[in-house]
């Protein structure tokens, strides 16, 4: 792994809620010479925020990268709701496959996630990519803290939405968006340079039992660690999707979209998020080709890029390579 402070490297901050596939994505990012991970921010989603912070610190200890700062994010949604959707049934009660690892020695920095995001965007205007692997609460709070944040941040690559396919929490909604739809709608319409990676592409990137066996047979420390925690994730997929011996690589695909955007193709348009009712959390894409006569909540909104295809074999190959060569 290259660790030189090459200015050509893309600076990224990973906003995360580990999470088994978050762990995989974090390891892939840390072993990607194209990027320089300058910080982590934590959020609820797969687990509650405090556990997400603990897990992030633990994963950085496993990776030998305790030099990277971790800023704890919001404990509640953007509208201050404490009723949170937490996916411990997917990732285990501890978020990492029910392995009950000892607590990390490191601690989060004093700064809040939103404050850290704003600080880094101001320190490196136009140069920082935020890769958001969980609900968009921290990014919405950063925009609230500094309304200029959308122009100062280089790009936001987010895992969220279920464009033209069913959601994974209910038929309408994907988990990250449903966890804080108000934050998602604010961020997506903020004018920032945004790439949304939804279930329509991440469900095409599949790791099989055979791939897991390859990880187990390799000497990579990341590969060996993941083999300890993957069983819960595989069991969930088999029960929920009736898949035999395979899992979806949501978070690693999103990380690699930030590392190498050419692995996916994109369309551009306006996206709005439904914030109430039976379709709460629904992401609706408007291609802007038709001009509507009336002024609506869609009028004059900035466009975002939405991933539509993915080179799944290439993504899987990169994931495997960066986990096994660690």
């Amino acid at each position: 792994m290259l660790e030189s402070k090459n200015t050509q490297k893309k600076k990224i901050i990973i906003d995360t809620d580990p999470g088994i596939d978050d762990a995989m994505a974090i390891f892939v990012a840390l072993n990607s010479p194209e990027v320089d991970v300058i910080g982590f921010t934590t959020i609820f989603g797969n687990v509650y925020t405090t556990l997400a912070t603990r897990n992030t610190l633990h994963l950085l200890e496993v990776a030998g990268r305790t030099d990277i700062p971790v800023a704890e994010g919001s404990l509640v949604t953007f509208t201050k709701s404490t009723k949170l959707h937490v996916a411990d049934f997917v990732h285990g009660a501890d978020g990492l496959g029910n392995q009950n690892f000892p607590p990390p020695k490191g601690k989060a920095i004093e700064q809040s996630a939103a404050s850290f995001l704003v600080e880094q965007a101001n320190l490196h205007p136009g140069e920082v990519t935020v890769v958001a692997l969980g609900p968009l609460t921290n990014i919405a709070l950063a925009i609230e803290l500094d309304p200029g944040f959308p122009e100062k941040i280089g790009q936001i690559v987010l895992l969220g939405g279920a464009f033209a396919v069913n959601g994974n929490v209910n038929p309408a909604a994907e988990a990250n968006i449903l966890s804080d739809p108000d934050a998602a709608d604010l961020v997506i319409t903020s004018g920032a340079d945004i790439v949304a990676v939804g279930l329509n592409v991440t469900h095409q990137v599949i790791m099989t039992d055979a791939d897991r066996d390859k990880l187990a047979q390799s000497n990579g420390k990341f590969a060996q660690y993941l083999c300890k925690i993957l069983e819960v994730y595989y069991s969930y997929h088999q029960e929920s999707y009736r898949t035999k011996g395979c899992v979806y690589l949501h978070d690693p695909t999103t990380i690699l979209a930030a590392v190498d955007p050419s692995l996916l193709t994109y369309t551009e348009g306006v996206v709005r998020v439904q914030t109430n009712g039976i379709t709460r959390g629904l992401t609706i894409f408007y291609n802007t080709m038709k001009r509507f006569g009336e002024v609506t909540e869609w009028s004059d909104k900035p466009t975002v890029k939405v991933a539509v295809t993915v080179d799944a074999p290439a993504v899987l190959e990169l994931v495997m390579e960066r986990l096994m060569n660690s």
Side-chain angles (χ1 to χ4, degrees):
M1 182 174 125
L2 303 178
E3 290 188 22
S4 63
K5 297 295 177 186
N6 188 327
T7 52
Q8 298 305 305
K9 287 186 173 192
K10 185 183 292 188
K11 293 180 175 67
I12 69 171
I13 296 170
I14 301 176
D15 189 66
T16 183
D17 55 336
I20 291 167
D21 57 338
D22 295 73
M24 192 181 293
I26 287 167
F27 289 156
V28 167
L30 293 175
N31 211 16
S32 289
E34 304 91 339
V35 297
D36 179 14
V37 183
I38 63 169
F40 287 87
T41 51
T42 63
I43 193 60
F44 59 85
N46 293 324
V47 293
Y48 293 105
T49 307
T50 49
L51 184 50
T53 302
R54 172 183 161 136
N55 287 351
T56 303
L57 291 164
H58 161 73
L59 291 166
L60 288 175
E61 284 186 5
V62 170
R65 292 303 310 271
T66 54
D67 56 302
I68 304 174
V70 176
E72 186 161 273
S74 182
L75 306 180
V76 297
T77 70
F78 187 66
T79 57
K80 305 293 186 281
S81 171
T82 56
K83 187 180 179 186
L84 305 177
H85 173 270
V86 174
D88 53 358
F89 55 92
V90 180
H91 301 270
D94 65 352
L96 295 173
N98 291 325
Q99 295 297 305
N100 299 308
F101 294 109
K105 296 182 180 70
K107 288 186 167 47
I109 61 175
E110 292 297 318
Q111 249 176 318
S112 70
S115 171
F116 179 76
L117 287 165
V118 167
E119 176 192 76
Q120 294 303 313
N122 279 295
L123 281 173
H124 312 285
E127 294 180 18
V128 178
T129 296
V130 177
V131 185
L133 301 178
L136 295 169
T137 316
N138 290 333
I139 295 129
L141 290 168
I143 294 169
E144 186 179 59
L145 192 61
D146 178 3
F149 181 79
E151 288 75 46
K152 293 171 188 170
I153 201 70
Q155 190 173 61
I156 300 167
V157 180
L158 66 92
L159 170 60
F163 301 96
V165 299
N166 280 152
N168 58 354
V169 181
N170 60 48
E174 179 273 333
N176 286 343
I177 302 296
L178 183 63
S179 291
D180 198 342
D182 298 281
D185 192 59
L186 186 152
V187 171
I188 289 170
T189 59
S190 69
D193 180 356
I194 288 174
V195 174
V197 179
L199 298 179
N200 52 306
V201 294
T202 64
H203 273 179
Q204 296 176 50
V205 185
I206 294 167
M207 176 178 276
T208 66
D209 266 339
D211 298 318
R212 182 166 55 158
D213 290 343
K214 279 187 202 167
L215 291 180
Q217 288 157 19
S218 86
N219 293 322
K221 68 176 177 181
F222 294 158
Q224 288 298 317
Y225 177 93
L226 285 163
C227 285
K228 290 181 194 169
I229 69 173
L230 272 168
E231 186 55 43
V232 167
Y233 200 53
Y234 269 80
S235 297
Y236 164 77
H237 279 77
Q238 184 158 344
E239 186 178 329
S240 297
Y241 292 97
R242 300 179 184 89
T243 57
K244 186 163 174 56
C246 64
V247 295
Y248 300 126
L249 300 187
H250 307 290
D251 297 44
T253 301
T254 307
I255 282 286
L256 287 172
V259 171
D260 181 0
S262 71
L263 291 165
L264 298 90
T265 65
Y266 311 88
T267 187
E268 193 162 341
V270 175
V271 172
R272 296 303 308 262
V273 178
Q274 178 69 9
T275 56
N276 53 47
I278 192 172
T279 56
R280 187 168 186 266
L282 178 70
T283 47
I284 305 169
F285 176 80
Y286 161 43
N287 65 16
T288 70
M289 289 173 73
K290 164 99 168 60
R291 290 189 180 181
F292 295 97
E294 68 277 17
V295 175
T296 68
E297 289 83 357
W298 298 86
S299 304
D300 302 319
K301 293 293 184 212
T303 59
V304 302
K305 297 181 196 73
V306 174
V308 288
T309 71
V310 59
D311 186 343
V315 169
L316 179 64
E317 185 179 347
L318 272 174
V319 169
M320 296 292 289
E321 173 193 298
R322 290 178 185 194
L323 296 176
M324 292 192 295
N325 298 334
S326 58

